[in-house]
Amino acid sequence: MNDTPTRLLDAVDRVIADHGPSGVTLRRVGTEAGLSHTAAAHYFKDKPGLFAAYLTRAYNQVGERIEAAAASTDDSYQAMLDAAATYAEFAIESPSAFSVMQRLELTHVDTPDLWSARERCYFGVAAILVRQQEAGWAAERDIRDLIALTWAFVHGFVELWVSGPLAAPYDGEDFVATLRRVFDDLLSSLA
Amino acid sequence: MNDTPTRLLDAVDRVIADHGPSGVTLRRVGTEAGLSHTAAAHYFKDKPGLFAAYLTRAYNQVGERIEAAAASTDDSYQAMLDAAATYAEFAIESPSAFSVMQRLELTHVDTPDLWSARERCYFGVAAILVRQQEAGWAAERDIRDLIALTWAFVHGFVELWVSGPLAAPYDGEDFVATLRRVFDDLLSSLA
DNA sequence: AAGTTTTCCTTTACATAGTAAAGTCAACAT
DNA sequence: ATGTTGACTTTACTATGTAAAGGAAAACTT
């Protein structure tokens, strides 16, 4: 069996780690994987195709972790917090992948695999919220609003913390712990 | 006086509109501005420098609009909603600029002008929240948490709506109106 | 007024990047 | 033996970022 595509995607990880997201080059990826400078294009058609495959894998990893957070406890309120923490941890642990997630223009967005990997994350979050609401929490709210509120907040918090001035006022405080605390505040206000 | 830099930044706008953010080329920008293919590099040093200048202008525009929203009413609760709507409207009206805002890696992030333009937005938002809290709203909350909650939500909502599956469940509904409504829900839950 | 500097851009030159197209070469099928 | 497919590589071409030097005209100096 042929594991060359996987090796190429792993090479992308290393290239981003070494040269940043903009330093990703089909040629460099090929060389890093011990192949020719066109190998990546051969498998993924072109550069956006390579990024699409890379991102699909990343979204599936996030989706998997969200699902794991959901499955690990019966307390769906805790599951919400865990899912948020999971997302934040992913951003810290896999900055390469996370940085490319903010750059969908680099990819072929309409790739079905990529689309469904992103939906997997969406449905993972949605499932936890539905379960929590069925347990009586925030019963009068539109579930779409609950999803929008929580997801937008978590995503925005992580992105602004990593890239911007949001972190500064919390001088020195731990990122994941702060997110957990503020998100907990938000959730208890919504109930 | 020399307005060539401004003309170059305007050219960036048109190039993004015609060819997308990834279609921005120093050469194209030069040509679009009626100059040589190195003119943009001459004024802004290199491509990241060009983007930094472009982004600085964009952040200042947003900051200005936030400040205008704050100044237009004595009701600081309304000002919060207006500021959020303003941000969403900017994302819709200036998709070129908004799309580059998500891509700080393309720029020299450490440019002081860019940094202070971003802070201008931050302080604009913070000022409204401080005012509202001084009027007795959410008095027991940490102001930093209020800023984080509102800003992260608004930013995340806009970004996810524009780029992702958040819009789908609200099939056909108006973007700014939906944001306003959900944000209003959030704010009243926080009080 | 003549020379000098400065400002504002252009020309030239080159290394790197994406990518199309054709080639190689081994495994396999018929 | 003879295709045929799969898995890449080689070659070749065009676009792009960017360094370096040039040049023309305005501004300034004496």
Side-chain angles (χ1 to χ4, degrees):
Chain A
M1 78 200 203
N2 178 9
D3 62 343
T4 307
T6 303
R7 288 215 313 277
L8 283 165
L9 295 183
D10 291 342
V12 172
D13 255 333
R14 294 194 296 276
V15 170
I16 299 182
D18 290 352
H19 302 93
S22 316
V24 175
T25 283
L26 290 182
R27 294 163 123 94
R28 248 208 279 259
V29 170
T31 305
E32 178 70 36
L35 297 166
S36 77
H37 71 268
T38 54
H42 172 71
Y43 276 99
F44 301 107
K45 179 165 174 61
D46 52 18
K47 203 180 181 187
L50 173 64
F51 274 117
Y54 178 76
L55 265 186
T56 300
R57 196 171 67 157
Y59 272 113
N60 274 317
Q61 284 167 6
V62 172
E64 203 177 311
R65 291 172 69 158
I66 289 174
E67 287 162 10
S72 71
T73 174
D74 280 344
D75 182 343
S76 48
Y77 189 91
Q78 280 302 316
M80 295 191 295
L81 290 177
D82 290 346
T86 275
Y87 188 65
E89 278 155 10
F90 181 83
I92 298 294
E93 284 167 25
S94 305
S96 299
F98 189 76
S99 67
V100 179
M101 286 178 168
Q102 314 330 122
R103 299 180 63 179
L104 290 186
E105 344 65 42
L106 293 185
T107 78
H108 292 139
V109 231
D110 46 346
T111 309
D113 284 355
L114 175 55
W115 191 255
S116 64
R118 298 229 296 160
E119 283 198 325
R120 181 178 178 181
C121 297
Y122 179 82
F123 288 127
V125 169
I128 299 175
L129 288 168
V130 167
R131 186 148 62 98
Q132 169 73 357
Q133 195 180 37
E134 279 168 357
W137 181 78
E140 75 290 349
R141 282 182 195 272
D142 185 333
I143 183 68
R144 297 175 305 171
D145 290 357
L146 282 175
I147 295 171
L149 274 168
T150 53
W151 194 8
F153 166 72
V154 172
H155 172 72
F157 190 90
V158 171
E159 191 175 310
L160 291 174
W161 186 288
V162 169
S163 82
L166 200 61
Y170 293 105
D171 181 49
E173 286 184 39
D174 178 67
F175 168 46
V176 177
T178 306
L179 169 60
R180 231 187 147 85
R181 180 178 58 73
V182 178
F183 190 43
D184 195 359
D185 275 3
L186 169 61
L187 290 178
S188 46
S189 305
L190 291 179
Chain B
M1 78 200 196
N2 179 7
D3 61 344
T4 306
T6 303
R7 288 215 314 277
L8 284 165
L9 295 183
D10 292 341
V12 172
D13 255 332
R14 294 194 296 277
V15 170
I16 299 182
D18 290 351
H19 302 93
S22 314
V24 175
T25 283
L26 290 182
R27 294 164 122 95
R28 250 209 277 260
V29 170
T31 305
E32 177 70 36
L35 297 166
S36 78
H37 71 269
T38 54
H42 172 70
Y43 275 100
F44 301 106
K45 179 167 175 60
D46 52 18
K47 203 180 180 186
L50 172 64
F51 274 116
Y54 178 75
L55 265 186
T56 300
R57 197 171 67 158
Y59 273 112
N60 274 317
Q61 285 166 6
V62 172
E64 203 177 309
R65 291 172 68 160
I66 290 174
E67 287 162 10
S72 70
T73 174
D74 281 345
D75 182 343
S76 48
Y77 189 91
Q78 280 303 316
M80 294 191 295
L81 290 177
D82 289 347
T86 275
Y87 189 65
E89 279 155 10
F90 181 83
I92 297 295
E93 284 166 27
S94 305
S96 299
F98 189 76
S99 67
V100 179
M101 286 178 168
Q102 309 336 117
R103 301 180 62 179
L104 290 185
E105 344 66 40
L106 293 185
T107 77
H108 292 137
V109 232
D110 46 346
T111 309
D113 284 354
L114 175 54
W115 190 255
S116 64
R118 298 229 296 161
E119 284 198 322
R120 181 178 177 180
C121 297
Y122 178 82
F123 288 127
V125 169
I128 298 176
L129 288 166
V130 167
R131 186 149 61 98
Q132 170 72 356
Q133 194 179 38
E134 280 169 356
W137 180 80
E140 77 289 351
R141 282 183 195 271
D142 186 332
I143 183 67
R144 297 175 306 171
D145 291 357
L146 282 176
I147 295 171
L149 275 168
T150 53
W151 195 8
F153 165 72
V154 172
H155 172 71
F157 189 91
V158 171
E159 191 175 309
L160 290 174
W161 185 287
V162 169
S163 83
L166 199 61
Y170 293 106
D171 181 51
E173 284 184 40
D174 179 67
F175 168 46
V176 176
T178 306
L179 169 59
R180 230 186 150 86
R181 180 177 59 73
V182 179
F183 190 43
D184 195 359
D185 275 4
L186 170 61
L187 290 179
S188 47
S189 305
L190 292 179

